[in-house]
Amino acid sequence: MARTRPPVLAAVCSAALLVPAPPALAHTPDARERAPRRAGGAQEGSVMAADLLGKVKGCAQISRGRYRSDEQAPANIPVCGKGDAVYWKADMDIDCDGRPGVHCNTRTDPLFMSTTAYQDSHGSALGAESLPYVVVPGASPIWTPASHGIRGGTVAAIIYRDKIQYAVVGDTGPNDVIGEASYATAVNLGINPDPVQGGAAGEVTYILFKNTTVRPIESHGAAVALGEAQAKKFLSVN
């Protein structure tokens, strides 16, 4: 389960980043899990970010309340719905949980957890370093994701500036905070992926497609294929 990092921890824990992770912690993903590393956040697929952003202008709020971007921030982020998609616009915090590796481990991330809310097809935790995934809030009176067809493995399109990253729902977070994705998601969007000092303060758009499931959940190729198909379908509906 992902956790929100209080702002004061960045200063307290920055010294931990000076100690390199031991090689023994490294994890080499298998072919199904391995995520492409795209220098500078290259375009993924043929759907354009501007087209999807144009489709989610405005907000028909489906959440009963609003979320915070961080623990100390005001609760001003609604979950919106349109057609077969739900979406929100927030910042991006970095989730480094799951299988430990060179960049995600107890030395680089003081809040590191070796588990994720959802597991891969082998029953193991997902790998934040290699798999693009998005974190959704835990069920609460604010919103229950499952009631809108959002579960582990749901496919998502995450947009930052002019780039789209297809991903899966791979972890859950605090029930009153929203706006978090895996280390690999940040890398592929050109966002600083550091689990302590990284992330994006600017607007990131998260579009999740209802009642979809990527199989196996750890296959980024499957997420891209399904995500692009859903994005094109979403754009085609008035």
Side-chain angles (χ1 to χ4, degrees):
M1 176 179 291
R3 299 122 301 133
T4 299
R5 188 182 312 282
V8 295
L9 273 180
V12 174
C13 300
S14 60
L17 299 178
L18 301 177
V19 182
L25 288 174
H27 164 67
T28 302
D30 61 30
R32 292 171 304 171
E33 182 187 16
R34 192 174 296 115
R37 297 304 172 92
R38 295 174 286 122
Q43 172 70 23
E44 183 169 69
S46 61
V47 174
M48 302 305 294
D51 293 334
L52 278 179
L53 289 175
K55 196 73 172 180
V56 296
K57 284 183 177 178
C59 176
Q61 184 170 330
I62 61 172
S63 57
R64 288 184 289 274
R66 298 190 173 203
Y67 289 95
R68 306 175 188 276
S69 60
D70 295 292
E71 286 183 349
Q72 308 303 319
N76 58 7
I77 303 171
V79 176
C80 314
K82 185 171 187 177
D84 290 331
V86 304
Y87 60 95
W88 56 87
K89 298 179 182 181
D91 64 349
M92 181 183 287
D93 294 325
I94 307 302
D95 187 348
C96 225
D97 293 339
R99 294 184 182 181
V102 173
H103 303 289
C104 292
N105 55 69
T106 55
R107 292 192 178 185
T108 61
D109 182 1
L111 299 180
F112 176 79
M113 297 177 66
S114 60
T115 58
T116 48
Y118 305 105
Q119 292 74 47
D120 67 15
S121 58
H122 307 290
S124 300
L126 303 178
E129 283 188 20
S130 57
L131 182 67
Y133 67 72
V134 62
V135 179
V136 297
S140 75
I142 300 175
W143 182 50
T144 301
S147 68
H148 288 88
I150 307 302
R151 302 175 178 84
T154 292
V155 72
I158 305 174
I159 304 170
Y160 179 66
R161 296 179 177 171
D162 60 345
K163 307 296 190 299
I164 297 176
Q165 169 70 75
Y166 293 107
V168 295
V169 172
D171 206 357
T172 58
N175 59 16
D176 62 344
V177 175
I178 205 166
E180 187 173 6
S182 68
Y183 183 102
T185 305
V187 168
N188 291 347
L189 285 172
I191 294 171
N192 181 354
D194 186 279
V196 175
Q197 298 177 329
E203 189 172 273
V204 179
T205 300
Y206 302 78
I207 305 174
L208 282 60
F209 298 104
K210 301 178 184 178
N211 300 309
T212 58
T213 305
V214 173
R215 292 190 176 91
I217 190 173
E218 67 268 24
S219 172
H220 183 58
V224 173
L226 181 59
E228 184 158 35
Q230 290 296 314
K232 289 178 178 178
K233 179 181 175 182
F234 182 57
L235 290 173
S236 70
V237 178
N238 292 329

